[in-house]
Amino acid sequence: MTIRAGVPAPNLEPRLGQEAFRRRGEVAYRVLETRSLLGRCTSERMPFEWTANPYRGCAMGCRYCYATYTHEFLGLTDPDAFHTAVWVKRGGDAETQRRLRAAIRRGERVALGTATDPYQPGEAQEGVTRRFLELCARERGLRLGLITKGALVLRDVDLLRRIHQRGRLSISVSLISTDAALLRRLEPWAPPPLVRLEVLRRLAEAGLDAGLAILPILPGLTDDEATLDALLARAGAAGVRRFNAGLLFLRSPTRERFLAFLDREFPRFAEAYRLAYADRAYLGGGYRDRVLARVDRLAERHGLRRAGEYGTATARLDVRSQLRLFS
C-alpha cells in the first residue's frame, strides 16, 4: 500500500467509516468494512505466515508501540492518533474462513495481535476478536498464536480450549515489569502487572499453553537484574513455563514520540536512547547479547524456558559504545 500524508491508501479509503459511532474518553471508534480478518505476512523476520488484527489502532496507549506507523496507511501521520482513533473491523467472515482453511492445508501459522491488541478496551463492546476465534474453533489443525496484555482473554477460555484441543494454540501475555507505577506511565490503559500475572495463572490452570512475553525490554528502564528477576519469579510462581523476550524496536514515528516521552518522564535516559537508536531500529551486539543472556539465566532459575523470539533481526553496532550507554 502507498503512504501519502493525509491521504488513506486507495484500497482502504472506500471502506473507512468517517463518523465515530462511539466514544470512550479520548478514543473515537469507527467502522472499517473488511474483506477478511486474516492477512498475509511476507516478512522473513516473522515466525508466521498469516496475521489477524481485529482492529486498526489500539486504546492501550503504550508509549513504545511499534505499530503506530500503520495509521499512516489511513492518512493519519500523528502517532498519537493510533491510540485515539480506533477502527473496528466488520464483515469478511466468509473470506476469513477460506483463508483459515488455506493456512491449515499448507501447515502455515496464524498470529493474532501483531499490530493491535486483540483484547484492548473496545473488545468488551465490539467482540471482533471473539468472532474471529469462533471461526477458528470450527476448524481442525489450526496453528494459532495469540499475544495480548488484556485480561479479557479470560472471557474466551471456552473457545481457546476448543482451538487448543483441535489444533495447536499458544498464548503469550505481554508483561515487562512488576512495577505498577512504572507501567502506568509506560502503558497507561493496559491492565496492571498483578492482573496480567493472574491471567497467566488462570490460563495455565485451564490447561492452555500460556507464556510470558517480555516484549519489549527497555534499555535502562526494565533491563536490570532486579527487575527481570522479580518478573520471572512471579511468572514462574503463576505456573508459567515458557517465555520469549526481545529488546525495544524503535522506528519512526514511534521513535520521535517515545523520545519526547523520555524527555518529559525519564530525561536522564533520553540522550542515551537518541544515540543508540539514531540510525537503527534494533539494538544488537554485546548489549543485546548481555541482556538476553541475563534473561535466560534468571528464567532457568525460576523454571522457565525460552520459546523463540518475536523479531530477531539486529543491526551491527559498535559493541563498546552501546554497553556504555545503558550501563
Side-chain angles (χ1 to χ4, degrees):
M1 287 190 286
T2 302
I3 296 178
R4 292 175 55 198
V7 180
N11 65 332
L12 285 173
E13 188 170 17
R15 299 185 282 119
L16 286 174
Q18 298 303 316
E19 298 297 324
F21 67 86
R22 184 167 63 85
R23 293 182 182 272
R24 183 178 180 184
E26 297 181 354
V27 183
Y29 292 89
R30 299 175 174 87
V31 171
L32 170 58
E33 297 294 341
T34 188
R35 291 189 287 264
S36 172
L37 292 172
L38 211 58
R40 263 288 183 189
C41 176
T42 58
S43 172
E44 294 181 356
R45 292 200 312 268
M46 298 296 106
F48 43 79
E49 292 76 31
W50 297 88
T51 63
N53 289 291
Y55 303 90
R56 273 188 173 266
C58 182
M60 286 194 177
C62 301
R63 310 295 188 185
Y64 51 75
C65 180
Y66 67 87
T68 57
Y69 79 94
T70 60
H71 258 34
E72 294 177 359
F73 293 111
L74 309 181
L76 302 175
T77 55
D78 178 0
D80 289 333
F82 184 80
H83 303 294
T84 58
V86 175
W87 271 265
V88 179
K89 294 184 180 179
R90 299 271 174 85
D93 287 9
E95 181 62 14
T96 299
Q97 201 86 61
R98 189 191 71 79
R99 294 184 185 187
L100 282 171
R101 290 169 181 167
I104 293 168
R105 285 196 306 273
R106 299 168 184 157
E108 294 173 336
R109 296 155 294 187
V110 177
L112 172 58
T114 57
T116 181
D117 196 304
Y119 288 103
Q120 62 177 286
E123 170 63 15
Q125 289 76 35
E126 305 308 324
V128 189
T129 297
R130 184 166 179 90
R131 190 176 91 235
F132 174 72
L133 293 176
E134 287 169 346
L135 296 174
C136 292
R138 298 177 186 175
E139 308 301 330
R140 289 187 179 275
L142 178 64
R143 301 173 67 188
L144 177 65
L146 182 165
I147 185 167
T148 184
K149 293 181 173 76
L152 196 59
V153 65
L154 295 176
R155 176 201 64 185
D156 294 337
V157 164
D158 59 333
L159 287 173
L160 296 170
R161 291 181 70 174
R162 181 171 174 80
I163 294 166
H164 178 62
Q165 290 162 1
R166 296 165 67 93
R168 292 173 59 185
L169 170 68
S170 64
I171 304 169
S172 294
V173 175
S174 176
L175 181 60
I176 62 174
S177 171
T178 58
D179 185 337
L182 174 64
L183 291 197
R184 185 54 57 205
R185 297 161 78 180
L186 290 166
E187 309 165 353
W189 304 113
L194 288 179
V195 171
R196 281 181 259 177
L197 288 165
E198 176 64 10
V199 168
L200 278 166
R201 185 188 67 78
R202 291 174 61 180
L203 290 173
E205 284 186 351
L208 294 164
D209 176 14
L212 172 68
I214 315 175
L215 297 168
I217 298 171
L218 302 177
L221 294 173
T222 66
D223 63 350
D224 60 282
E225 180 105 4
T227 294
L228 293 168
D229 188 50
L231 175 58
L232 289 159
R234 296 297 296 271
V240 175
R241 295 294 172 260
R242 168 177 69 78
F243 82 98
N244 62 345
L247 293 177
L248 175 67
F249 171 69
L250 202 57
R251 58 160 289 173
S252 184
T254 304
R255 179 191 289 114
E256 294 77 13
R257 181 176 183 265
F258 190 65
L259 290 174
F261 166 76
L262 290 175
D263 285 336
R264 296 191 308 271
E265 300 287 337
F266 302 97
R268 71 189 183 95
F269 292 113
E271 186 59 22
Y273 272 84
R274 282 188 169 86
L275 291 171
Y277 287 96
D279 57 357
R280 61 188 64 88
Y282 291 99
L283 297 186
Y287 171 75
R288 175 185 180 274
D289 294 345
R290 185 181 68 180
V291 171
L292 294 184
R294 177 182 299 154
V295 177
D296 286 336
R297 173 172 51 81
L298 295 171
E300 185 176 3
R301 176 190 298 174
H302 299 296
L304 283 78
R305 58 178 176 80
R306 182 183 290 275
E309 241 183 280
Y310 184 85
T312 56
T314 59
R316 293 184 64 85
L317 307 176
D318 182 288
V319 173
R320 290 171 299 175
S321 63
Q322 196 176 155
L323 288 173
R324 287 197 298 269
L325 284 174
F326 298 109
S327 63

